[in-house]
Amino acid sequence: MFRVLRNFLINRTIQIKVNDTTSQEFQCKIGVPQGSVLSPTLFALYINDVLEGLPNYARSFQYADDTSIVVRGGDHVEISENCQLVCS
């Protein structure tokens, strides 16, 4: 299984097409292939624990590849400070 996943993710190339112009091929070193049925699962496994350890005044919500972080505070100054702490 490891070799199957490795081969699925390495040595991939991409091209960019705008109107009738296509770029040269570039090696794609990050991410998962778009359109593959396996990609959402691999992405979810990869980011599953990224947001663990958020402080108690912050909460995260995820759907597919979208993530939102909600930060609480007593007033706008505290909320702003808490946002800075979460993002640093």
Side-chain angles (χ1 to χ4, degrees), residues 70-88:
V70 177
V71 177
R72 295 186 315 257
D75 57 27
H76 71 281
V77 173
E78 184 180 6
I79 292 170
S80 179
E81 290 171 351
N82 289 345
C83 283
Q84 292 299 320
L85 290 171
V86 168
C87 293
S88 60

Side-chain angles (χ1 to χ4, degrees), residues 31-88:
V32 292
Q34 289 185 338
S36 166
V37 296
L38 187 57
S39 294
T41 301
L42 292 175
F43 181 78
L45 289 170
Y46 179 74
I47 66 163
N48 187 45
D49 60 351
V50 168
L51 297 171
E52 283 184 5
L54 283 176
N56 61 358
Y57 54 79
R59 182 173 299 237
S60 69
F61 300 92
Q62 296 174 307
Y63 178 77
D65 63 347
D66 295 324
T67 301
S68 296
I69 298 176
V70 177
V71 177
R72 295 186 315 257
D75 57 27
H76 71 281
V77 173
E78 184 180 6
I79 292 170
S80 179
E81 290 171 351
N82 289 345
C83 283
Q84 292 299 320
L85 290 171
V86 168
C87 293
S88 60

Side-chain angles (χ1 to χ4, degrees), residues 1-14:
M1 187 57 152
F2 173 77
R3 279 188 260 168
V4 169
L5 289 175
R6 182 176 170 266
N7 290 335
F8 177 70
L9 295 173
I10 65 169
N11 296 326
R12 293 180 296 120
T13 59
I14 59 171

